[in-house]
Each structure stands twice: as structure tokens, then as C-alpha cells.
Amino acid sequence: MGDLGGDEWAMVVRKGNQFMVNDQPFYVNGFNTYWLMVFAVDQSTRGKVSEVFQQASSVGLSVCRTWAFNDGQWRALQKSPAVYDEEVFKALDFVISEAKKHKIRLILSLTNNWEAYGGKAQYVKWGKAAGLNVSSDDDFFSDPTLKSYYKAHKILTRVNTFTNVTYKDDPTIFAWELMNEPRCLSDPTGDRLQAWIKEMALYVKSIDSRHLLEIGLEGFYGPSTPDRAQFNPNTFATQVGTDFIRNHQAFGIDFASVHIYADSWISKTISDKHIQFTKTWMQAHMDDAEKTLGMPVIFGEFGVSAKDQGFNTSFRDTFMNTVYRAILDSTKKGGSGGGTLVWQLFPDGTDYMDDGYAIVLSKSPSTSNIMSLQSRRLMLFNSLCSTKCHWSCKKKNALETFLYHEEL
Ligand SMILES: *[C@@H]1O[C@H](CO)[C@@H](O)[C@H](O)[C@H]1NC(C)=O
Ligand SMILES: *[C@@H]1O[C@H](CO)[C@@H](O)[C@H](O)[C@H]1NC(C)=O
Ligand SMILES: *[C@@H]1O[C@H](CO)[C@@H](O)[C@H](O)[C@H]1NC(C)=O
């Protein structure tokens, strides 16, 4: 990568609609591997954590999104509210320390909307066990005691036992994520979830004002913007209690998150519609992020499942190229497209964990090349374009050639 001037491992910050590190832009080519903490608990599987970071880094990926929660389940981090298994916490310490060794930053999600690894359903179970009058899993968003449990999750102030760095001071952490894919079907107006986001964003920022914060949303348009509902993948998406624009206007939220799952939202049968949807969906959100929200947007999950009807690797490559190209088109203009995180990267020998979306780089040479090229293109941007040159560097022509010449 060469000497970029400011080489120190600094915190990622946001300026307007761009991410910056050491006064250079920081466009993200990254990935998801959600189970790192759980794999790090056992010595027998800990090596897989280092392996996936190593492989990601070999294709230039610089950000990984992963779970910093495991509520009440097997290998739980939180055995009960704010009661931790120290061995599991040390495993998360290891993940963070190992990420830094590979120059990878982390987006750490704080809980789940879904039941996997506990999530809001587990918080409600804890509440019931403590005698609360709660019934729906969505009580997670509004019951005062359940909200106090969420706040009691002592992640931000944890001191890493490998590095001695407190999480809230660690530049290895790119951002906190309030929740993986929050939805609140019990209140389609969106008020219930909005109140929770506002309260929790303020709470996280009151403890850690330096790290960036995002929500973890899938990006569906809601009641505040009826004119944008046309971009939703289906009418149901408008009624899940989320609201892309309004939610991201909550004080303390630094950047927008959007997921891209044409296969689960539109049709399990692969077709060109998936590509068309992906383009329109990304463009709509980048426009909003730029014109309405004034913040960057990260496409925090995108992928296609090998279980889909009509799947093949060449379709996946076309899909990934579509996503990457949309980011480059935005990047070129200094737009709000901050980057993407593919769902999901697996090291060799973890196939039994695969939900169909796993990409094993050693088995996917063409996909590896596509990822690697995207990384090099973004890195070039990151190194050539300082804020001072306002995206009109002298090298612009060379850059254009590099950005759009597929063979490179
Ligand atoms: C529990 O909550 C429900 C719904 O809010 C209410 O109808 C019910 O009376 C409550 N039960 C008790 C024991 O407080
Ligand atoms: C962390 O702190 C302990 C106790 O002060 C010290 O022994 C250890 O060397 C430190 N580790 C690192 C990586 O700085
Ligand atoms: C791959 O899948 C796509 C979409 O299903 C299809 O159009 C294409 O013909 C397939 N290509 C190969 C090489 O099988």
C-alpha cells in the first residue's frame, strides 16, 4: 500500500458525507463474518479467525462487520443481563486484537432483531423470568426494564485483555451498530422503533462520542416518505416499523446502513430483475444520503445464495460487479456511497456454517479477483484524493482509466 503520509492507526471519522482517516478519504471494501467471537472461544477453532482476516486482507478488504453479542445462548457472552462469561469476552478481545494485526477495522453489532444468538427475543425472556409483564418480542423496544438491560450491556467500556485498550478508545473499531436488522412490526407507524433509536443513539454517544454509530437497518422506506415507497422491494417492507429517512435523522447517527437481498425480497429465482433492483435500490439510498441525510451510506450486507434457483458463480460475479460499480460511480463524484460489506466471507473448512451465502476465497478465484480489483480502486482513491484537492486531483484522468478498465 506504500506510505500514505499519516500512517498511524487513527480513528475513522465522518466529514459531511465521507469517511476520513488522517485527513484522507476512507472508502470501504469490506465483509461480514458474524461468528468470529464464538469461534475464538475454543483454541481448536480460534485459528479460523486469524485465517479469515488473513484472507480478507489478501484481497484488500479493510472492514469487517461481526457480532459483539451472544445473548443467553450456547457460548453466550451475556449469560443474563450484564452477567458475562469472561472466556467469551476474552474471545471478543482476541477478535479485536487480531483484526488490528491485519489492519482490518470492525463494525460491532450490539444485538439482534432475530433469534439467532439471542437478540430481542432473549431480552424478553429475561424480562419474563424477572416477572415483567411483557409478551411481544417488540416489547424490547419500549419496556423500560428491557431498555435498561440493553443499556447495561457493558461493551463500550470493556478493557481489552490482549491490548489493554478500552473498546471506546480503540481505532480498530470503525463503528457501533445498535442492532442487526431492527424491525418492529407491532407499530407500522414507526414511532416505537424511532423512540428506541433516539434513546439508544444518545445513550451510546454519551459513553463513547468518538466512534461512529449506525443503526443496522435494512433500508426500507417508511411512512415519512410515501414518495420513496416505490423503491421498496415489496409493499410489506413499508409496514415493518422501520423508516430509512426518519430513522437516520435521529441525533447521534453518523451514517446510514442498507442491506441488499433481491433474492429474499423479490424472488428466489435468479433473474435480471435482481440486478435492476440492486441498481435502483442503491441509487435511491445514495441520493437520499447525499441530498437529504448529508451522511455516507454503507451497504452493510449484500449477497446472493447458492441455494437460489438458477444460481451460478458467474451470476454472483455480475451481481458483485453491479454493487461495486455503483459505489465507484458515487465515489468518483465525491458522493455518499461510503462502501460495501459482502455477506459473507468464510475461511476454508467452515462450510457447515454456510447459509448459502458464504464465499470461500480459495474456492472462488473469479470472485476474489473482483474483490481485489475493487479494493485497489478504492485504495487509490483513498490515497490520491485528500480533502484538500476536493476530488479533482491532477491524476484524475489516470484514475478514470483505472476505475473503468476491467482488465486491470
Ligand atoms: C399485562 O399487560 C397487558 C397488556 O398491556 C394488560 O392487559 C394486563 O392487564 C397486564 N397484566 C398485569 C398482571 O398487569
Ligand atoms: C497490559 O497491562 C498489563 C498490566 O499492567 C501488563 O502486564 C501488560 O504487559 C500490558 N499488555 C500490553 C499489550 O500492553
Ligand atoms: C448463470 O446464471 C444466470 C442466471 O440464472 C444465467 O442467465 C446464465 O446463463 C448462467 N451462466 C452459466 C455459465 O451457466
Side-chain angles (χ1 to χ4, degrees), residues 372-405:
S372 186
L373 183 55
Q374 178 75 355
S375 300
R376 280 185 284 139
R377 285 170 165 162
L378 291 183
M379 264 182 228
L380 192 69
F381 253 114
N382 293 348
S383 63
L384 288 183
C385 301
S386 74
T387 35
K388 289 176 208 109
C389 77
H390 295 289
W391 277 265
S392 52
C393 341
K394 285 190 181 131
K395 306 226 172 136
K396 194 166 181 228
N397 288 341
L399 202 58
E400 289 269 318
T401 313
F402 180 63
L403 287 176
Y404 290 102
H405 227 266

Side-chain angles (χ1 to χ4, degrees), residues 11 17 59 62 70 76 130-131 166 184 248 282 290 322 364 379 392:
M11 216 45 113
N17 63 349
V59 291
S62 62
N70 188 5
T166 305
C184 185
H248 282 109
M282 289 183 75
E290 194 169 331
T322 303
S364 319
M379 264 182 228
S392 52

Side-chain angles (χ1 to χ4, degrees), residues 235-294:
T235 48
F236 175 66
T238 314
Q239 296 155 32
V240 296
T242 69
D243 196 322
F244 177 73
I245 299 288
R246 183 184 180 208
N247 293 159
H248 282 109
Q249 283 169 334
F251 187 75
I253 301 299
D254 295 294
F255 65 95
S257 65
V258 177
H259 296 178
I260 313 172
Y261 286 113
D263 60 354
S264 82
W265 298 339
I266 295 179
S267 157
K268 293 269 175 223
T269 303
I270 299 289
S271 80
D272 193 48
K273 278 191 195 139
H274 291 201
I275 302 294
Q276 290 314 318
F277 168 78
T278 299
K279 284 183 184 166
T280 318
W281 182 244
M282 289 183 75
Q283 194 55 52
H285 288 88
M286 289 191 292
D287 287 349
D288 291 334
E290 194 169 331
K291 292 170 194 149
T292 310
L293 298 172

Side-chain angles (χ1 to χ4, degrees), residues 270 309-312 314-315:
I270 299 289
Q309 189 96 38
F311 174 90
N312 56 37
S314 93
F315 176 80

Side-chain angles (χ1 to χ4, degrees), residues 68-74 76-79 110-112 115-120 122-123 126 153:
F69 62 85
N70 188 5
D71 314 311
Q73 314 286 303
W74 178 73
L77 173 62
Q78 276 190 105
K79 293 188 282 192
L110 299 176
T111 193
N112 208 349
E115 284 186 28
Y117 293 77
K120 69 183 182 186
Q122 181 60 55
Y123 279 83
W126 284 331
H153 185 23

Side-chain angles (χ1 to χ4, degrees), residues 139-289:
D139 286 335
F140 169 84
F141 296 115
S142 45
D143 182 85
T145 307
L146 298 185
K147 288 194 289 184
S148 77
Y149 290 172
Y150 178 86
K151 289 179 180 173
H153 185 23
K154 290 187 208 62
I155 282 280
L156 301 114
T157 50
R158 165 79 176 179
V159 179
N160 190 312
T161 53
F162 285 82
T163 62
N164 290 346
V165 179
T166 305
Y167 285 14
K168 71 187 177 76
D169 300 322
D170 193 341
T172 310
I173 296 165
F174 175 94
W176 301 110
E177 173 176 288
L178 290 180
M179 183 181 222
N180 175 49
E181 299 185 338
R183 289 187 186 182
C184 185
L185 271 75
S186 58
D187 181 14
T189 69
D191 290 346
R192 200 175 191 181
L193 182 59
Q194 180 72 7
W196 183 81
I197 292 169
K198 283 166 85 171
E199 181 174 346
M200 297 314 164
L202 272 184
Y203 183 74
V204 169
K205 286 285 175 174
S206 74
I207 298 172
D208 179 357
S209 59
R210 292 170 72 207
H211 277 113
L212 299 173
L213 178 65
E214 51 107 357
I215 303 169
L217 287 171
E218 294 155 286
F220 302 130
Y221 291 100
S224 78
T225 53
D227 56 317
R228 305 301 274 169
Q230 57 175 313
F231 296 109
N232 279 344
N234 50 52
T235 48
F236 175 66
T238 314
Q239 296 155 32
V240 296
T242 69
D243 196 322
F244 177 73
I245 299 288
R246 183 184 180 208
N247 293 159
H248 282 109
Q249 283 169 334
F251 187 75
I253 301 299
D254 295 294
F255 65 95
S257 65
V258 177
H259 296 178
I260 313 172
Y261 286 113
D263 60 354
S264 82
W265 298 339
I266 295 179
S267 157
K268 293 269 175 223
T269 303
I270 299 289
S271 80
D272 193 48
K273 278 191 195 139
H274 291 201
I275 302 294
Q276 290 314 318
F277 168 78
T278 299
K279 284 183 184 166
T280 318
W281 182 244
M282 289 183 75
Q283 194 55 52
H285 288 88
M286 289 191 292
D287 287 349
D288 291 334

